[in-house]
Each structure stands twice: as C-alpha cells, then as structure tokens.
Amino acid sequence: MIKFFLMVNKQGQTRLSKYYEHVEINKRTLLETEVIKSCLSRSSEQCSFIEYKDFKLIYRQYAALFIVVGVNDTENEMAIYEFIHNFVEVLDDYFSRVHNVFNVMLITL
Amino acid sequence: MPAPIRLRELIRTIRTARTQAEEREMIQKECAAIRSSFREEDNTYRCRNVAKLLYMHMLGYPAHFGQLECLKLIASQKFTDKRIGYLGAMLLLDERQDVHLLMTNCIKNDLNHSTQYVQGLALCTLGCMGSSEMCRDLAGEVEKLLKTSNSYLRKKAALCAVHVIRKVPELMEMFLPATKNLLNEKNHGVLHTSVVLLTEMCERSPDMLAHFRKLVPQLVRILKNLIMSGYSPEHDVSGISDPFLQVRILRLLRILGRNDDDSSEAMNDILAQVATNTETSKNVGNAILYETVLTIMDIKSESGLRVLAINILGRFLLNNDKNIRYVALTSLLKTVQTDHNAVQRHRSTIVDCLKDLDVSIKRRAMELSFALVNGNNIRGMMKELLYFLDSCEPEFKADCASGIFLAAEKYAPSKRWHIDTIMRVLTTAGSYVRDDAVPNLIQLITNSVEMHAYTVQRLYKAILGDYSQQPLVQVAAWCIGEYGDLLVSGQCEEEEPIQVTEDEVLDILESVLISNMSTSVTRGYALTAIMKLSTRFTCTVNRIKKVVSIYGSSIDVELQQRAVEYNALFKKYDHMRSALLERMPVMEKVTTNGPTEIVQTNGETEPAPLETKPPPSGPQPTSQANDLLDLLGGNDITPVIPTAPTSKPASAGGELLDLLGDINLTGAPAAAPAPASVPQISQPPFLLDGLSSQPLFNDIATGIPSITAYSKNGLKIEFTFERSNTNPSVTVITIQASNSTELDMTDFVFQAAVPKTFQLQLLSPSSSIVPAFNTGTITQVIKVLNPQKQQLRMRIKLTYNHKGSAMQDLAEVNNFPPQSWQ
C-alpha cells in the first residue's frame, strides 16, 4: 500500500506531497527532509530502493526533481518504480507546457 | 479590497524567497489576507483563496481555518467550487476534526447528482477520508454505484468500497453481490480496481477467500488475454500490455492459491507462460517476472515451476541493474529456508554481491550468505565473510561479527581454525562485538585444552600493539591470567614460541589497568588476571602484591573491592592462595535461560567442593564469599546477584576459613575452584533460580514432613523441605531455630556441611538473635543439589552466645525423610 507520494527538489523544497495515511503536519516536514537526505546521499550506481524505518522508499530522479514513493512491505518495488515513470509521462502529456522540461528528463533516462 | 492574487502568482512569489524567514513572512501576509477575505464571505474568490491555502498547507504551514470554507465550497453549485472544496476536504479534514460530519449530507446529495464528474468527486473524497460513521451511512449509495453501467463511476465506486471495507469490515457482505459481474468488464480501469477490491476482501476474511476461489479460472483467462493480445496503444508500457494490471492479478492469484491445491494447479500453466514469455530487457518485464516468482514461491506449485522461479532469480542476480539484483537477493532470502539446495547453486554470485557498492545490496547479501553457510563451504565462505567484515560499514560490523561467531560455532572444521577465526574477528572488529560474546569465547577457549598455549600466545601478541578494543582485551586478559605460565615457558607447538618474560606480561596488564580507554569491566578482568598470575609466576610476586595494594584505594568501587580482597589473600590467607587461584575447570556450555540445567564440574580437577558459607555475624554480606567460592565454574549469566547487599568487605570472612579447616568430611582440603575470574560468572544458574526467575517458594510444597534436626540445651532446629518443580535435584531446606530458655541466644551462627556428592548453598539468615521463650525464630534457607539422588546427610555446627558464655556444638543430621532427596 502506498503510504505517501512526494516530489522534492534537490534543495529539499517540497513541490508536491500527498499522504495516504494521517501524519501530523509538523512530522511531515521532518519526514520529507529525512527522506530527501537519504535519497540525495545515494550515487547513481546504487539501487533505487531504500529501507527507511518501516517503509520502503522507491525514488527516481528527474533532473533536479526527486519523486519518492513510500510503500509498506507488500508492494512490488519494481512495479512502483514503473508507476513513477508512468506518472511523469502522464504529467508530460497532460500539461503540455512542461513538455520541454520533462523531455529533457526523459531523454536522460 | 483588491482581488486576491491567483495561485500561480503566489507560487511564483514564494519561490523568489531566498531564505526560510522570507518565505514565512510572505506566507503569513497572504494568510492574513485570506483570513480577512473569508470573514467577508466573499463567494467569488473563495475558491481561489482555498486553493492558495492548500498550497501553503502542503508546504507545511497550518491551514485549519480553511476547513469550514471547504464545506461552503462543497455546498455550492458550481463545479469549479466543488472541485476545490472536495480537494480541500481531502487534504485538510480527517476523522479527528468534528467538522467532517457536516459533509455527510453534501456527499450524499452529490452521490446522486446528475453529472458523473460530481459523483466521481464525491466518491473520491469519501474513499479518501471517510470516517466509519460516514461510511456506514453512505455504503448503500456506494454499492448502488458499483452496479451502474458507467465504467467511470464503477471504478471509482470500487476504490471507495475498498476504503469502506477497511474502515467498517462488517459491511463486506454488502458488497458481495455487486462483485459478481465485476470481472466481466472490458475496461481496464474497472478491472484493475475490481481486482484491488477482491484482494482486499480476500485478505480480510477467510470466508470470502473460499468464496472467491472459484474466480481463479476467470482471472487466469484475463491474464492470458493480456499476454497474448497484440499491441494496444491505450495500455501499452514499453511493449507490455498493462503491466500494472498483470501484477495485480498475479498478486490476487497468490492470495487465492496459498494453501490450496486445486487453485494452485489451475494456475500452474499460466504462471509458466508468463515466466517464459515476458520480455526481460526492460524494467517492466522484470517487475512482472518478480511478481510471478513471488507467486510461485507462495502457492503450492510443482517442483519444476519452483526450479524455474529460482533460476529466474539467479538470472536477476547477474543483471547489471542494481535494482533487480536487490530484488533478487530479497526474494532469495525468503526462499532459502524452503529451497536450500537450489539457492546453493547461486552461492558464488551472492558472495560476489558482498563487494557491491550499494548498502542495501550488501546487507541482503550478508544475510543470505549466513543462511547459506554449511559444513562443506564453511572455509571458503568464512574467508569471504572475514574480508567483508574488514571493509564494511560500521553499521554492519556487529551483525556480521555475531553471524560469524554463530556460523563458526556450528560448522568449525577444527578447533584451531575456530580459534583463529575468533581471533581474526576480535582484531578486526573488536569494538563491535556484542558483550555476550566475551563469556562465550572464554568458555570456548577453556574447552579446547590443547590449544591453550597457542591461544594465549596469539592473544598476547594481539594486545601488545593495541589495547583499545574492549572485548579483545577482556578475553586476552582472562587468558593471560589463566595460562600465563604457558606463555612465559614458551611451550607452543602450533606456532613459533615467543620469548616473553614475566615482567613483560605484567607490563601489558598494568598498562591495560592504567589506560583511559579501558572500561571498568576490562580493568576488573586485568586485575583478576594479575592476581591469578601470582601463583603462576615465580619471580614477580612482589610486584603483583604492590599492584594489588595500590588498587586497594581506587575510586572505582568494583576495583577497590577486588583489590582489598586479593590483598587479604596475600596477607592473612597466603596458604589458601594457590588453592583458590587454581586453573579453572572446563566449563559446560550453559544456555542463558538455564534454571533447569545443572552445571557439572569436571570431576578430575578437584573434589566437589565443600560449600559452606558463614552466615554473617552482624551486618556482614555474604557476597565476598560468593566471589571467593566460585561454586561451580562459570557460565554466561548476568552479573552476580548477591544474597545480601555489598558493603565494605574490610574484614574478610575470618569465620569462613575456620570452617574449611574444621568441617571436612572428605578429608581432602576443600579446594574451591578458582575465585571469580569474572564476577559475572560466579553465580551458577541453578542455585539462583530460587532468587531470580522462579522463586522456589512458589513451587507447591509436596507435603514432605519436616524434621527436628537438633534439639539440645533449649535450642531447637527444625528443617522444612521443598522440592523445586523446575529442577528435581534441588531440595530447599528452611531451618527454623527457636529458643525455649529464658535468655536470648545472641550471635547465632549456623553452619552446615554435606558429603562429597552434594553441593550446598547457604543463604543469609533472618537475624542472629534467637529470642527467648520461643517468642521468635531465626529462619535460614539452605539449598542442596543432589544430582545422584543419594541419601541426604548433613553435619551442622552451631555457635552462639548464651548466658554470657560462648557455646558451640556439632551434630549430624541423618533423619532426612526419603521424599526430600529421592
């Protein structure tokens, strides 16, 4: 089950956050900073799945933007990884203005 | 009042803020504007203001004052208002707010709205944050919508139903009829959400699970269509048709097929087909394969299929993509218990993963390697694991070290190899070794008798250079204390013996004592080691005496106590010293929960000690007696629980040693085993079980008759018996001393001795005065261990002051009832 979905930039500013379970508002910012810290410290050779407390984090980097999904144990990590990319493609198709920005990102994949 | 700015403007403004403080300022200004706008009840701009509020909420600022506004927006007729209103409700409201119940009516109306989009909004919101009351009220509407023909609504209704079931599990039956036709849909959206709904129902209720098993053929068919169908632009992801649906169906099949032979058989073909036909060049294909492998492992599949699954995992391991390797290692870990041999084939690849750069992969590989170690591959694996220990991150070292110890213990091919391995671990990761490993190691070393010289030599060399790693130093100090004579005599066969003088050994031990890096426990080990060497070394006894006396005034109470006791050994009891400091016997391995295990000492070193303990004549603790008389050799139990509080043991039990001279049934000197080399291990478990875990006094007294052991001169001593339920060889005797004369008996001391085959423990008495005229008694507990179930006999000695004169008496007790010792 997906617990949360975040889009955070490299400086740690949250661009989008959606929580599927109630988390206190002050805990949210804390969670987001910790999550982005663990994602930023990874190099490109390392795998995209991190174990964090009792979640698994699956993240993907698109240029300066990190998309992080937190799931519980029962999810298939690779399917979620695909799902993130699917989401980005949907955004790309739907908001044509961001096409150029995402185009660059898609090419780099 | 100028029109409030649009959301886009706000976002742009906030992004220009360069510091956190600037951003906060901007947001506060905007919040104030929004608040005043809300107060004015401005309908036109309400939705814009709420949108801005939601954005600020997402950034982490409080936005609770917008909740009521959301409700007003929901009640409005405009679609744009409703949209923002519902979004706001989903983000800002939840069960904890009282306001949310006001929404119920609005949602109910909207669920019956003419426009499907409004209905969709209402369903979304209900499915996101509906509380149990709301769900109960609106479940009927949701169920109705589940049966409609509009696929847009059906899929949303299905997801809403999932949420309703999570909140109110009793309503599950309500949705059962609606699920009948769900899988007949063509629309993938509906299919997907229906599968989610079915999965949720099956997970929650075993009845539903049994009911839905009949759907397996239908699911298999859908899956087959997905795989076989050609290119469909709507659902294509990198060449595979709707992988998300495929994964969901596989997961549902897994749940349905678990523990059920028929369903598993029905699935076998399709699983094999998916496994062989899916393209593995892209991540999508691998995701599907992964789910398939998980399903195969979980259901009752035939062995051919399982082998196929493990081979797929093996192929994953060789893949360049680290995500896939991680996933493969995780699944192999799950399957290694059941399909051990199949996984063994991939051992070399797994061991290679230990060298990977990624932390998650390394951890998985390490766990898997430990699971794969067996008698055949121990040497090779251990080499790899030791190399890994050297180079891994600190967070792994503790786990790795413990794992290595366990594996070495189980599969060690030879004692020397075992000790070498332990030495290697101690030197590379010494400070990360767990505390309980030290006693285990010590026990292991004592057991390998022929390796003592080699071990002590290696340990000595190890701490010569560096004595900062505490567990290493502790083990080394203990061994040097025990086997120091072997060290200086240069007797090692296995290795080139080194020339060490006694002074050098003492130098190193003293530097450990002085060093700031040594913990209190390590210092204790070192001091005791030095003391033991006083009997093993010949020319440096004076030096040892000096060291010991210096520490008699140490600030650390533990060290001070030891030093003073050892000092006393030198001064008053020099004749006892060699006997007390003899070599430790070979210890039996005792597990930490060992109240039921009896530790046997190795018979040949000394006769079973004549354990007697002086009850304190006055506020004297018996703890020093505990230390000096290590009753049964060591074992790895928690620290000493003294039978009485510790206090300054200044006058070491003088009475103690008189006893050992007098009462002596065996005729041999009461050679107690070496004193607490480690105070932690001086209390044997079985004698403690009465104190700590299972008070023996809780055991049902088995109705053993009590006896009068002694009755003379007005002093009567009665024995009452109890047998421990947990340990049938232990008898607990409670003695009660009463005085029928007209004067009190003061300074009453009770001592007891038993024959060679028994062991005895005397706990402290309730007092030392037996009041006159039977007005009170002294109670004391004796525990007797009788492993050979021989007839219990006891010799007792009583000393007391009565009518101004000291009295003393010896007696033998032979009238123990048979039930007390059989």
Side-chain angles (χ1 to χ4, degrees):
Chain A
M1 193 187 133
I2 298 186
K3 301 283 181 186
F4 55 84
F5 185 102
L6 300 174
M7 276 169 71
V8 190
N9 78 352
K10 266 209 188 137
Q11 280 80 42
Q13 295 172 314
T14 313
R15 294 296 183 220
L16 174 71
S17 76
K18 177 84 165 89
Y19 288 82
Y20 294 95
E21 258 187 1
H22 182 78
V23 177
E24 299 289 333
I25 194 161
N26 45 359
K27 293 220 179 76
R28 287 188 194 188
T29 24
L30 194 61
L31 180 74
E32 282 154 31
T33 32
E34 277 183 23
V35 162
I36 193 65
K37 214 177 354 161
S38 35
C39 291
L40 280 175
S41 55
R42 318 264 294 172
S43 72
S44 55
E45 282 96 43
Q46 297 180 300
C47 82
S48 305
F49 315 136
I50 310 176
E51 277 150 48
Y52 170 78
K53 293 197 190 154
D54 50 352
F55 312 128
K56 284 192 278 203
L57 297 174
I58 296 140
Y59 72 93
R60 254 187 120 136
Q61 184 176 7
Y62 292 90
L65 197 65
F66 277 90
I67 301 190
V68 186
V69 177
V71 295
N72 70 354
D73 280 334
T74 53
E75 283 292 337
N76 179 338
E77 296 96 331
M78 303 215 284
I80 300 282
Y81 191 74
E82 248 346 277
F83 163 70
I84 296 179
H85 191 66
N86 198 14
F87 179 77
V88 168
E89 282 182 349
V90 165
L91 285 183
D92 181 29
D93 283 337
Y94 197 69
F95 298 104
S96 46
R97 287 226 245 130
V98 300
H99 183 84
N100 295 325
V101 184
F102 275 113
N103 221 1
V104 174
M105 295 179 195
L106 289 173
I107 291 173
T108 57
L109 274 174
Chain B
M1 167 103 209
I5 60 175
R6 303 169 134 231
L7 177 60
R8 256 179 239 164
E9 296 292 324
L10 177 66
I11 296 180
R12 227 173 267 149
T13 333
I14 290 182
R15 291 226 181 154
T16 60
R18 253 164 291 135
T19 66
Q20 185 73 309
E22 248 185 87
E23 180 184 302
R24 219 174 309 142
E25 205 187 298
M26 286 181 197
I27 292 201
Q28 272 172 1
K29 208 169 64 173
E30 191 55 40
C31 267
I34 294 178
R35 253 190 278 237
S36 49
S37 169
F38 283 162
R39 255 197 308 266
E40 286 169 16
E41 299 280 335
D42 184 348
N43 283 344
T44 24
Y45 293 118
R46 190 178 286 135
C47 101
R48 195 186 284 185
N49 285 326
V50 171
K52 285 187 287 191
L53 200 58
L54 291 179
Y55 179 74
M56 293 192 287
H57 172 82
M58 194 178 78
L59 289 181
Y61 299 92
H64 43 270
F65 55 89
Q67 287 166 6
L68 264 176
E69 303 300 317
C70 291
L71 291 182
K72 291 187 198 154
L73 280 175
I74 294 176
S76 134
Q77 288 309 314
K78 280 173 29 180
F79 179 72
T80 41
D81 280 356
K82 274 197 197 281
R83 193 171 56 168
I84 299 281
Y86 274 124
L87 181 61
M90 278 193 269
L91 293 179
L92 296 179
L93 289 175
D94 57 55
E95 298 189 359
R96 280 154 253 242
Q97 324 296 339
D98 306 319
V99 197
H100 80 279
L101 281 171
L102 297 173
M103 275 199 335
T104 319
N105 206 22
C106 279
I107 294 188
K108 189 173 184 135
N109 291 336
D110 283 336
L111 279 176
N112 295 322
H113 206 270
S114 43
T115 325
Q116 64 174 3
Y117 299 110
V118 175
Q119 288 175 299
L121 277 180
L123 281 171
C124 257
T125 310
L126 182 60
C128 189
M129 42 74 68
S131 64
S132 15
E133 293 89 33
M134 286 171 74
C135 288
R136 247 185 263 269
D137 290 335
L138 299 169
E141 310 284 331
V142 175
E143 199 248 339
K144 213 168 40 166
L145 287 173
L146 200 50
K147 294 201 256 208
T148 157
S149 50
N150 183 336
S151 42
Y152 173 83
L153 285 180
R154 266 183 117 181
K155 73 178 181 224
K156 288 199 189 280
L159 283 181
C160 192
V162 171
H163 179 84
V164 169
I165 292 177
R166 281 197 187 136
K167 280 283 179 206
V168 191
E170 299 90 50
L171 292 175
M172 225 191 295
E173 278 85 36
M174 186 194 253
F175 293 106
L176 196 49
T179 57
K180 257 198 274 249
N181 294 326
L182 276 180
L183 287 182
N184 295 334
E185 271 279 344
K186 291 280 185 276
N187 183 319
H188 280 211
V190 181
L191 267 180
H192 196 131
T193 53
S194 324
V195 172
V196 173
L197 178 59
L198 291 173
T199 314
E200 187 70 25
M201 286 175 143
C202 291
E203 274 175 356
R204 290 201 172 243
S205 144
D207 300 326
M208 292 286 178
L209 185 60
H211 174 83
F212 284 127
R213 283 228 170 91
K214 62 181 197 286
L215 288 177
V216 171
Q218 211 174 353
L219 287 167
V220 168
R221 220 182 357 189
I222 298 176
L223 195 51
K224 200 173 201 145
N225 285 337
L226 278 177
I227 308 175
M228 299 276 102
S229 70
Y231 175 73
S232 129
E234 255 177 49
H235 305 123
D236 176 79
V237 179
S238 305
I240 299 191
S241 182
D242 207 342
F244 302 107
L245 181 58
Q246 289 189 34
V247 164
R248 282 276 171 204
I249 294 183
L250 284 166
R251 201 174 301 165
L252 180 56
L253 285 176
R254 182 158 80 228
I255 297 176
L256 291 174
R258 209 177 273 158
N259 291 332
D260 185 67
D261 292 320
D262 297 325
S263 321
S264 307
E265 237 193 85
M267 293 178 216
N268 272 333
D269 289 334
I270 190 67
L271 289 173
Q273 206 177 357
V274 173
T276 38
N277 282 352
T278 316
E279 248 197 54
T280 55
S281 51
K282 291 274 177 76
N283 183 54
V284 201
N286 289 325
I288 297 181
L289 277 180
Y290 176 45
E291 194 72 32
T292 318
V293 166
L294 286 178
T295 305
I296 293 177
M297 287 292 132
D298 235 358
I299 66 174
K300 290 188 178 263
S301 50
E302 53 183 25
S303 59
L305 208 49
R306 292 184 95 92
V307 172
L308 179 62
I310 298 208
N311 287 342
I312 293 179
L313 289 178
R315 260 207 329 265
F316 276 179
L317 275 180
L318 298 167
N319 197 309
N320 284 331
D321 188 352
K322 53 273 175 314
N323 290 340
I324 297 177
R325 282 212 299 273
Y326 172 84
V327 149
L329 285 172
T330 317
S331 341
L332 279 174
L333 198 54
K334 284 190 222 150
T335 62
V336 78
Q337 310 301 336
T338 42
D339 294 278
H340 195 94
N341 295 327
V343 183
Q344 280 282 1
R345 248 182 284 140
H346 301 284
R347 188 169 54 83
S348 45
T349 334
I350 294 172
V351 168
D352 278 336
C353 287
L354 280 174
K355 308 201 183 81
D356 200 291
L357 289 167
D358 183 301
V359 169
S360 325
I361 291 188
K362 275 205 273 212
R363 177 175 286 282
R364 289 274 177 272
M366 178 180 84
E367 288 169 8
L368 201 48
S369 309
F370 281 129
L372 285 179
V373 164
N374 65 19
N376 296 331
N377 56 29
I378 178 77
R379 281 191 197 261
M381 292 288 278
M382 199 48 86
K383 232 189 330 217
E384 295 287 336
L385 287 168
L386 285 171
Y387 180 70
F388 174 67
L389 185 63
D390 255 332
S391 52
C392 70
E393 284 84 357
E395 61 217 29
F396 290 145
K397 289 205 188 208
D399 290 328
C400 192
S402 319
I404 290 182
F405 283 146
L406 272 170
E409 215 174 286
K410 271 199 268 182
Y411 301 113
S414 75
K415 286 228 161 89
R416 166 154 183 187
W417 182 92
H418 196 169
I419 291 192
D420 277 341
T421 312
I422 293 178
M423 293 280 316
R424 181 86 190 273
V425 174
L426 283 178
T427 41
T428 44
S431 26
Y432 298 100
V433 167
R434 295 218 173 91
D435 294 333
D436 56 355
V438 170
N440 281 338
L441 295 180
I442 291 181
Q443 186 255 326
L444 179 67
I445 292 175
T446 30
N447 279 341
S448 37
V449 179
E450 65 279 5
M451 303 289 307
H452 285 165
Y454 170 70
T455 315
V456 69
Q457 191 165 295
R458 286 208 58 186
L459 282 169
Y460 175 75
K461 279 198 276 200
I463 66 169
L464 253 188
D466 157 41
Y467 41 85
S468 61
Q469 308 198 78
Q470 300 305 304
L472 174 63
V473 174
Q474 286 169 10
V475 177
W478 192 92
C479 287
I480 293 179
E482 275 295 302
Y483 311 121
D485 45 339
L486 295 175
L487 184 59
V488 289
S489 63
Q491 273 180 5
C492 180
E493 314 92 40
E494 307 263 351
E495 234 189 27
E496 187 66 33
I498 53 176
Q499 303 304 323
V500 185
T501 64
E502 300 181 357
D503 276 308
E504 285 172 357
V505 175
L506 285 176
D507 279 339
I508 190 83
L509 284 175
E510 274 188 56
S511 34
V512 168
L513 264 179
I514 299 173
S515 157
N516 284 335
M517 296 186 280
S518 306
T519 61
S520 173
V521 172
T522 316
R523 289 212 180 97
Y525 272 89
L527 189 59
T528 310
I530 292 183
M531 187 60 195
K532 283 196 222 172
L533 290 175
S534 70
T535 42
R536 319 239 199 285
F537 284 177
T538 43
C539 14
T540 42
V541 183
N542 284 330
R543 181 173 173 185
I544 294 179
K545 260 196 229 179
K546 213 165 32 158
V547 172
V548 165
S549 59
I550 291 175
Y551 280 91
S553 42
S554 148
I555 297 181
D556 184 341
V557 179
E558 174 76 27
L559 276 186
Q560 187 186 88
Q561 175 180 352
R562 288 182 197 220
V564 170
E565 289 171 15
Y566 296 152
N567 235 352
L569 266 188
F570 271 124
K571 293 204 172 41
K572 286 208 248 173
Y573 304 108
D574 215 30
H575 54 284
M576 295 286 314
R577 192 162 44 88
S578 50
L580 282 170
L581 298 175
E582 255 192 25
R583 264 275 202 273
M584 286 285 280
V586 175
M587 300 177 225
E588 273 281 313
K589 176 79 176 172
V590 177
T591 58
T592 42
N593 292 333
T596 52
E597 268 152 342
I598 303 167
V599 177
Q600 304 280 4
T601 48
N602 199 338
E604 23 93 354
T605 46
E606 67 265 335
L610 229 40
E611 254 50 281
T612 64
K613 262 201 234 140
S617 54
Q620 276 280 351
T622 50
S623 58
Q624 77 262 33
N626 292 346
D627 288 338
L628 286 179
L629 292 180
D630 186 1
L631 290 167
L632 287 174
N635 38 61
D636 41 356
I637 302 281
T638 50
V640 172
I641 305 169
T643 53
T646 16
S647 63
K648 287 271 166 291
S651 56
E655 318 87 66
L656 155 72
L657 301 164
D658 290 342
L659 276 188
L660 294 177
D662 288 355
I663 302 177
N664 196 333
L665 280 180
T666 62
S677 49
V678 180
Q680 279 111 293
I681 55 177
S682 67
Q683 288 283 354
F686 87 102
L687 287 178
L688 265 191
D689 58 357
L691 286 182
S692 40
S693 43
Q694 296 141 19
L696 283 177
F697 305 102
N698 282 345
D699 290 347
I700 309 153
T702 47
I704 307 174
S706 54
I707 60 170
T708 305
Y710 175 89
S711 176
K712 210 156 82 167
N713 295 337
L715 174 65
K716 188 162 89 154
I717 299 195
E718 270 194 15
F719 282 10
T720 41
F721 301 97
E722 267 171 12
R723 300 293 296 271
S724 160
N725 282 342
T726 51
N727 189 346
S729 314
V730 173
T731 310
V732 178
I733 306 175
T734 312
I735 66 153
Q736 300 213 330
S738 54
N739 169 9
S740 59
T741 64
E742 66 274 14
L743 269 186
D744 291 346
M745 295 173 178
T746 55
D747 295 322
F748 182 83
V749 172
F750 176 92
Q751 289 151 345
V754 285
K756 189 157 61 153
T757 49
F758 297 82
Q759 281 159 6
L760 184 78
Q761 182 186 15
L762 213 54
L763 306 183
S764 41
S766 53
S767 84
S768 66
I769 299 181
V770 195
F773 297 117
N774 290 330
T775 42
T777 58
I778 292 184
T779 353
Q780 193 165 6
V781 175
I782 311 172
K783 291 194 205 168
V784 181
L785 173 66
N786 182 6
Q788 297 179 14
K789 304 260 195 251
Q790 292 199 346
Q791 161 125 39
L792 189 52
R793 288 182 299 136
M794 194 185 281
R795 190 177 280 188
I796 61 178
K797 175 175 173 180
L798 310 159
T799 48
Y800 54 94
N801 287 338
H802 189 232
K803 295 182 185 157
S805 51
M807 310 271 287
Q808 183 177 301
D809 202 1
L810 275 172
E812 208 170 302
V813 185
N814 285 326
N815 51 339
F816 287 99
Q819 302 100 307
S820 65
W821 47 267
Q822 257 167 5

